[in-house]
Amino acid sequence: MVDDKPVIAFGEIVWDIFPDKTVLGGAPLNVAYHLHAQQRRTGIISRVGADQLGRETLTSIAELGVPVDAIQVDAELPTGQVYVTFNAAHEPRYEIVKPAAWDNVQLDALPGNLAENSYHLIFGTLAQRSAETRRTLDRVIAKADKKFYDVNLRPPFTTPDLVEASLAQADVVKVNREELQQLNGWFLHADGSDLNIGRKLLGKFAVDVLAITNADKGAALISADGHVEHPGFPVTQADPVGSGDAFFSALIHNYLQGLSLSTCLTAANRLGSWVASQPGATPKYP
């Protein structure tokens, strides 16, 4: 049976400030956009400032087609900003400005209908750096059906205690290969391959599905029933930012349709590769 409950993303909305441009982003927003583009009902819980960037944020998100009714406006804290630079391998590095409006997501400012309706939830680690937003997230998680967690480590804000608590609440988890090694060092202490580490993570935290991405080398999915791998699709890379979020959105969308892990992984790699070939994290779908 196809699951058509809405999928709500929770967390940071930021403007990514590159050396040559400023782009609206944040992993929760990117995932919500791609779910919307795949015809999945979605929304985002976050908070922006009562500033020019905040006004531009709400206008831009509405133009993307993602509902803005659960995005709060903060009278004092600014809209989130992240300074993005790239190393020699073209891997992004992030300087995340603190504090930001999304550090202050308020429980009593959530839409009233949220508690009345069933939904699935996407969340990450970064938005939990503040106690206020973390308290709100805990309440939202408690009412969610399926919980999809993107580990998305951003030191120094994504500490082991936050990650461990999040893994314990998640049904489906996404990590990249480097993050998996970090989790292994923190919690698992497993020897051997990514597959062995992933299986130990599933057992320790009772996760249903673990997705391990490995940049242009593809990805793998691990569950209690087995695992599947896919080498990825060759593309001419235009912009790697947001490709992992697109991957996660396609995995979520197909997983909720009850499709096989192999089908989910192929769809996720295909969408992630396409986004990497496009400029920007939220390109218009053909």
Side-chain angles (χ1 to χ4, degrees):
M1 181 177 178
V2 175
D3 187 325
D4 65 351
K5 294 186 185 74
V7 183
I8 307 300
F10 184 106
E12 66 276 10
I13 293 176
V14 301
W15 287 85
D16 291 326
I17 302 172
F18 296 86
D20 59 343
K21 60 185 176 181
T22 300
V23 180
L24 179 62
L29 174 58
N30 294 341
V31 178
Y33 165 73
H34 288 291
L35 283 167
H36 166 75
Q38 293 167 86
Q39 310 303 310
R40 168 71 60 172
R41 287 190 295 151
T42 189
I44 180 167
I45 297 171
S46 190
R47 195 171 177 100
V48 298
D51 48 28
Q52 181 60 34
L53 276 182
R55 290 186 288 273
E56 291 180 21
T57 300
L58 295 175
T59 299
S60 298
I61 293 175
E63 290 174 349
L64 290 174
V66 177
V68 299
D69 59 306
I71 301 176
Q72 305 168 11
V73 178
D74 196 291
E76 297 180 3
L77 293 174
T79 300
Q81 298 179 59
V82 177
Y83 291 91
V84 186
T85 56
F86 294 90
N87 63 17
H90 204 60
E91 297 167 335
R93 295 291 181 267
Y94 306 95
E95 179 190 341
I96 304 168
V97 177
K98 181 182 181 181
W102 53 264
D103 288 312
N104 192 37
V105 179
Q106 298 286 309
L107 181 64
D108 59 7
L110 295 176
N113 61 359
L114 192 69
E116 301 167 6
N117 299 313
S118 296
Y119 58 88
H120 304 300
L121 186 73
I122 302 159
F123 69 106
T125 317
L126 178 59
Q128 300 181 60
R129 70 180 183 180
S130 78
E132 187 62 44
T133 296
R134 190 163 63 250
R135 280 193 294 267
T136 302
L137 174 60
D138 286 343
R139 293 291 295 274
V140 175
I141 285 179
K143 294 181 177 295
D145 187 355
K146 293 292 184 183
K147 279 83 72 175
F148 299 92
Y149 172 47
D150 186 349
V151 173
N152 212 10
L153 295 180
R154 295 289 181 265
F157 304 116
T158 49
T159 56
D161 59 319
L162 295 179
V163 175
E164 186 173 26
S166 299
L167 288 168
Q169 294 173 298
D171 297 298
V172 177
V173 173
K174 171 184 162 294
V175 295
N176 63 36
R177 193 167 185 273
E178 292 73 23
E179 289 167 343
L180 181 67
Q181 295 300 321
Q182 182 65 77
L183 300 190
N184 188 37
W186 282 344
F187 313 124
L188 307 171
H189 313 295
D191 295 324
S193 66
D194 291 352
L195 179 59
N196 289 337
I197 298 170
R199 284 172 172 160
K200 189 165 184 179
L201 187 147
L202 258 64
K204 180 177 178 64
F205 294 102
V207 170
D208 293 335
V209 178
L210 174 67
I212 306 170
T213 63
N214 192 16
D216 60 356
K217 298 178 178 63
L221 298 180
I222 307 173
S223 76
D225 298 326
H227 79 283
V228 293
E229 299 179 10
H230 190 285
F233 294 92
V235 296
T236 300
Q237 189 177 96
D239 182 354
V241 177
S243 59
D245 302 327
F247 172 99
F248 201 30
S249 76
L251 171 60
I252 293 166
H253 180 60
N254 286 272
Y255 176 81
L256 290 175
Q257 294 184 74
L259 301 178
S260 69
L261 290 186
S262 179
T263 300
C264 291
L265 183 57
T266 300
N269 265 332
R270 180 179 292 112
L271 187 60
S273 297
W274 176 73
V275 170
S277 74
Q278 305 296 308
T282 54
K284 186 176 181 179
Y285 278 48

